[in-house]
DNA sequence: AACAAGGCCAACCGCCTCTGA
DNA sequence: CTCAGAGGCGGTTGGCCTTGT
C-alpha cells in the first residue's frame, strides 16, 4: 500500500497520444515485442509512463482491435457475460475477440446499463428494479443498495459473495416455471457451487476455476469481486444456507439468456476461410482426427482465451426451459474449458506430478499431443468439443474423440483426458505420456 | 450564434496478484 | 518467509463532442 507510482511523473507526457508517439510505440513493439513495459518508454524514445504505453497498445494500437460498431449480438453477449461474470471486464473482453476491456466497460457504462435500466432491470444485479421491496431481497443492515451483491469490493470472501447472492430474487427473469427441470436431481446439482481440487491451487492462490464456477453457478447475477479473492473452499453450509441455496438453484434455472445464436456465434472468430473443421468436428457421431493447422494464434498473442466455437446446427428453442438449461450448462462448460485453457500455468502446477518437464506456458501446450474427449454425444459435450477443436486449430495439438476412455465414466461425469505426448518437433525431451484427467462432475471441476 | 448540459471515451489512478530474489 | 518490482484490473476522471435551448 502506498506504493510509489510505477514511474516518476516528472518530465513525462500525459494526456492524448500524438501520432508520432503512436508510431514510436508501434514500431518498438513490432521490433521487440510486448513486455517490460517499464523499460519500454526509454527504449522506444517515448516520454511516457510504462503503464501508459501498455494501455495505449492494448486498447488502441494492438492489431486486430475492433473499434466501435458494437453489434446487437455483441450487446447481447456483453449483457449475458456481465450477468455471468459481473464487472470483470477483462474476462468479458477475453470472450469477445477484438474487443478490449476498456471499450466494453465504457460501452456498458454509457449504453448497456441504461438499456437494462430502461427494461426495468438493475444494471448491477440484473434484477428487476421494482423487486427491492421483496421480503427476500437483501435488506441487511443499512443501505442495501451500496452493498449490492454484484458490486461488493474486490477481495471479499467468495463464500460471503456466495451467501449474498443467495438472496437474489431472479424469479421475474423467468418467462415461465422450470420447476420440473429443477426437480431433476442431476440438473439441480449442476447449479451447485463446485468443489475445487485443492491441488490446483498449490502454486497460485487464485481459486480461479472454482470460484468462478461457484459464482456462476450461484446465480445468474454474479458478484463482482476479483477472482483471486480469498478462501478457496467451503462446502459446509448451515441449514439455512442450504435452504437459501436450494431456492437460488431454482431461481438460477429461470434465468433467460440471450438467444443462442447471438451468444454462440460470437464465440467463434469472424468467419475464417479455412475454419471448416469446426463444423465437421461438431458432429460427434463421426469422430474425426483434426489435423494440425498450426496457424499462429493471434488470440493467444493477445492474451485472450482461444475463441470458442459452437455448432450452428444446434437449433435451440429459446422458450424451451429444458433447452435453456442445457444452454446454461453449455455456457458453464465453455467457461470452464475457456478458463482451463487460459490458466495454462495452473494446469502445469496441477499436473506437476505428471508433467515433469520444467517448462511452462506455450512450451507446455506445444508439447500437448492430443486431447481425447470421450462420448461427446450431448449438446454440452459437443460444444465443449468444439471449443477444444477450435483450440486445437490454433495450436500444434490434435484432438481425437474417443469412445473408449481409459478411465471409468460414471453417471454424470464427463471425463476429459488431456494427454500430453511430446511431439517430435517439440523442444521437450520427454516422450512420456503425461495425462491430466479433468472431470466435469456437474459443476465440479476436478483435476485428479 | 452562443451557451449550457449531457454523453462519450481515452487515459489515468490506485490497488491487487504474481513472481522472483 | 518477506519484500519489491512488474503487470494487470476495475473505477474514475477530464476533455472533447454533440445536442438542446
Amino acid at each position: 500500500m502506498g506504493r510509489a507510482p510505477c514511474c516518476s511523473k516528472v518530465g513525462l507526457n500525459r494526456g492524448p497520444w500524438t501520432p508520432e508517439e503512436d508510431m514510436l510505440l508501434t514500431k518498438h513493439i513490432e521490433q521487440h515485442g510486448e513486455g517490460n513495459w517499464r523499460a519500454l518508454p526509454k527504449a522506444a524514445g517515448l516520454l511516457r509512463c510504462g503503464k501508459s504505453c501498455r494501455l495505449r497498445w492494448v486498447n488502441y494500437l494492438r492489431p486486430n482491435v475492433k473499434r466501435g460498431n458494437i453489434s446487437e449480438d455483441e450487446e447481447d453477449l456483453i449483457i449475458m457475460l456481465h450477468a455471468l461474470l459481473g464487472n470483470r471486464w477483462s474476462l468479458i473482453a477475453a470472450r469477445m475477440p477484438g474487443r478490449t476491456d476498456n471499450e466494453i466497460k465504457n460501452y456498458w457504462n454509457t449504453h448497456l446499463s441504461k438499456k437494462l435500466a430502461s427494461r426495468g432491470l438493475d444494471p448491477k444485479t440484473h434484477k428487476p428494479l421494482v423487486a427491492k421491496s421483496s421480503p427476500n431481497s437483501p435488506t441487511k443492515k443499512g443501505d442495501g443498495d451500496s452493498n449490492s451483491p454484484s458490486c461488493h469490493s474486490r477481495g471479499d470472501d467468495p463464500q460471503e459473495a456466495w451467501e449474498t447472492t443467495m438472496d437474489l430474487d431472479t424469479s421475474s427473469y423467468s418467462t415461465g416455471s422450470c420447476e420440473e427441470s429443477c426437480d431433476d436431481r442431476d440438473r439441480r446439482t449442476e447449479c451447485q457451487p463446485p468443489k475445487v481440487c485443492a491441488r490446483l491451487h498449490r502454486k497460485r492462490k487464485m481459486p480461479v476455476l472454482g470460484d468462478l464456477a461457484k459464482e456462476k453457478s450461484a446465480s445468474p447475477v454474479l458478484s463482482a469481486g476479483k477472482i483471486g479473492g480469498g478462501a478457496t473452499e467451503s462446502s459446509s453450509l448451515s441449514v439455512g444456507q442450504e435452504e437459501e441455496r436450494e431456492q437460488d438453484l431454482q431461481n438460477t434455472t429461470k434465468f433467460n439468456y440471450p438467444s443462442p445464436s447471438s451468444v454462440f456465434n460470437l464465440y467463434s472468430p469472424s468467419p475464417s476461410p479455412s475454419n471448416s473443421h469446426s463444423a465437421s468436428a461438431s458432429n460427434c457421431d463421426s469422430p474425426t482426427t483434426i489435423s494440425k493447422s498450426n496457424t499462429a494464434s493471434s488470440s493467444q498473442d493477445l492474451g485472450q482465451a482461444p475463441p470458442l466455437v459452437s455448432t450452428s446446427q444446434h437449433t435451440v428453442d429459446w422458450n424451451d426451459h429444458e433447452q435453456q438449461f442445457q444452454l446454461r450448462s453449455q455456457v458453464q462448460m465453455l467457461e470452464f474449458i475457456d478458463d482451463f485453457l487460459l490458466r495454462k500455468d495452473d494446469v502445469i502446477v496441477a499436473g506437476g506430478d505428471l508433467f515433469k518437464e520444467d517448462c511452462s506456458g506455450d512450451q507446455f501446450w506445444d508439447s500437448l499431443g492430443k486431447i481425447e474427449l470421450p462420448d461427446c454425444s450431448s449438446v454440452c459435450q459437443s460444444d465443449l468439443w468444439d471449443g477444444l477443436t477450435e483450440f486445437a486449430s490454433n495450436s500444434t495439438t490434435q484432438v481425437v474423440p474417443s469412445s473408449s476412455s481409459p478411465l471409468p465414466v460414471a453417471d454424470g461425469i464427463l471425463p476429459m483426458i488431456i494427454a500430453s505426448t511430446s511431439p517430435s518437433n517439440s523442444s521437450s525431451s520427454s516422450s512420456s505420456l503425461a495425462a491430466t484427467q479433468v472431470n466435469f462432475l456437474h459443476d465440479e471441476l476436478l483435476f485428479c
Side-chain angles (χ1 to χ4, degrees):
Chain A
M1 319 321 167
R3 273 183 52 190
C6 67
C7 53
S8 166
K9 298 286 190 286
V10 180
L12 295 184
N13 293 342
R14 297 186 53 169
W17 281 64
T18 65
E20 290 76 23
E21 288 177 312
D22 284 346
M23 192 190 67
L24 282 172
L25 179 58
T26 305
K27 199 173 173 182
H28 180 84
I29 292 178
E30 279 173 355
Q31 287 176 354
H32 302 94
E34 295 180 39
N36 201 1
W37 294 107
R38 179 178 283 245
L40 186 147
K42 194 176 178 184
L46 286 161
L47 286 171
R48 289 276 180 175
C49 162
K51 289 179 88 166
S52 180
C53 293
R54 179 187 157 272
L55 221 57
R56 181 65 179 173
W57 173 256
V58 168
N59 289 331
Y60 200 88
L61 298 174
R62 191 176 58 176
N64 304 330
V65 170
K66 282 192 263 179
R67 305 192 56 73
N69 299 324
I70 292 182
S71 66
E72 283 190 24
D73 277 353
E74 283 176 301
E75 281 188 8
D76 287 343
L77 181 60
I78 293 170
I79 291 170
M80 186 213 68
L81 289 172
H82 186 268
L84 278 168
L85 299 167
N87 288 2
R88 291 181 188 135
W89 307 115
S90 60
L91 282 177
I92 294 172
R95 285 154 181 80
M96 301 184 66
R99 299 294 181 188
T100 69
D101 54 358
N102 206 35
E103 183 178 23
I104 293 170
K105 179 174 60 182
N106 283 332
Y107 195 76
W108 178 268
N109 289 331
T110 56
H111 294 95
L112 296 182
S113 61
K114 291 168 192 165
K115 197 169 183 175
L116 258 66
S118 72
R119 292 177 187 170
L121 297 174
D122 185 335
K124 289 178 181 173
T125 64
H126 295 244
K127 283 168 53 181
L129 287 164
V130 292
K132 298 250 174 191
S133 58
S134 160
N136 288 338
S137 65
T139 51
K140 315 217 163 161
K141 305 265 186 251
D143 55 325
D145 286 349
S146 61
N147 281 335
S148 160
S150 71
C151 58
H152 69 280
S153 63
R154 284 181 282 176
D156 281 358
D157 182 4
Q159 180 61 29
E160 184 187 326
W162 160 251
E163 289 166 12
T164 314
T165 55
M166 297 281 89
D167 293 326
L168 294 170
D169 175 12
T170 56
S171 56
S172 32
Y173 271 81
S174 175
T175 54
S177 163
C178 67
E179 270 145 30
E180 292 126 32
S181 48
C182 292
D183 284 335
D184 180 298
R185 190 201 151 277
D186 286 343
R187 295 241 171 86
R188 248 190 338 198
T189 325
E190 281 192 42
C191 298
Q192 291 178 0
K195 295 169 186 159
V196 184
C197 181
R199 206 172 154 195
L200 181 63
H201 312 304
R202 193 186 300 161
K203 190 170 175 183
R204 291 187 182 179
K205 282 181 289 184
M206 294 172 66
V208 180
L209 294 161
D211 274 359
L212 201 59
K214 176 191 288 183
E215 292 175 26
K216 278 173 211 158
S217 56
S219 166
V221 184
L222 277 191
S223 305
K226 211 164 187 173
I227 293 174
T232 58
E233 183 54 358
S234 92
S235 54
S236 56
L237 299 176
S238 68
V239 175
Q241 288 169 334
E242 282 286 356
E243 286 173 6
E244 285 180 321
R245 189 166 82 176
E246 201 66 37
Q247 179 62 45
D248 187 67
L249 300 184
Q250 297 195 15
N251 289 337
T252 299
T253 59
K254 296 174 183 174
F255 179 64
N256 285 339
Y257 288 96
S259 71
S261 61
S262 65
V263 172
F264 288 107
N265 288 342
L266 283 160
Y267 271 106
S268 69
S270 45
S272 120
S274 58
N275 244 2
S276 55
H277 67 270
S278 59
S280 64
S282 66
N283 183 357
C284 299
D285 294 329
S286 56
T288 315
T289 298
I290 306 303
S291 305
K292 302 175 184 183
S293 64
N294 204 11
T295 53
S297 168
S298 59
S299 67
Q300 296 213 352
D301 292 341
L302 300 180
Q304 296 177 338
L308 298 175
V309 295
S310 89
T311 55
S312 54
Q313 297 101 314
H314 294 318
T315 52
V316 180
D317 179 359
W318 197 239
N319 294 315
D320 184 327
H321 300 118
E322 191 81 11
Q323 294 193 31
Q324 272 187 39
F325 197 90
Q326 281 193 322
L327 203 61
R328 173 181 168 73
S329 299
Q330 278 183 303
V331 171
Q332 290 182 329
M333 284 292 191
L334 289 167
E335 296 285 346
F336 279 147
I337 193 63
D338 207 5
D339 285 321
F340 176 79
L341 296 175
L342 270 175
R343 318 282 172 197
K344 297 179 272 196
D345 291 338
D346 277 334
V347 176
I348 294 170
V349 174
D353 298 338
L354 300 165
F355 193 78
K356 299 194 168 49
E357 287 298 310
D358 183 21
C359 63
S360 60
D362 293 338
Q363 249 187 306
F364 174 82
W365 287 98
D366 284 345
S367 71
L368 275 180
K370 64 179 181 180
I371 296 172
E372 292 185 9
L373 184 66
D375 181 24
C376 52
S377 56
S378 77
V379 174
C380 296
Q381 285 169 310
S382 66
D383 264 86
L384 191 64
W385 165 255
D386 282 351
L388 290 169
T389 304
E390 176 65 17
F391 164 71
S393 75
N394 290 324
S395 68
T396 56
T397 305
Q398 278 189 320
V399 178
V400 182
S402 165
S403 58
S404 58
S405 167
L407 295 153
V409 183
D411 186 24
I413 299 180
L414 316 176
M416 180 176 68
I417 312 302
I418 296 189
S420 168
T421 56
S422 303
S424 56
N425 62 348
S426 167
S427 58
S428 163
S429 60
S430 168
S431 61
S432 64
L433 181 75
T436 301
Q437 180 184 2
V438 184
N439 283 342
F440 288 98
L441 173 54
H442 308 304
D443 275 359
E444 294 184 25
L445 182 60
L446 303 172
F447 289 81
C448 304

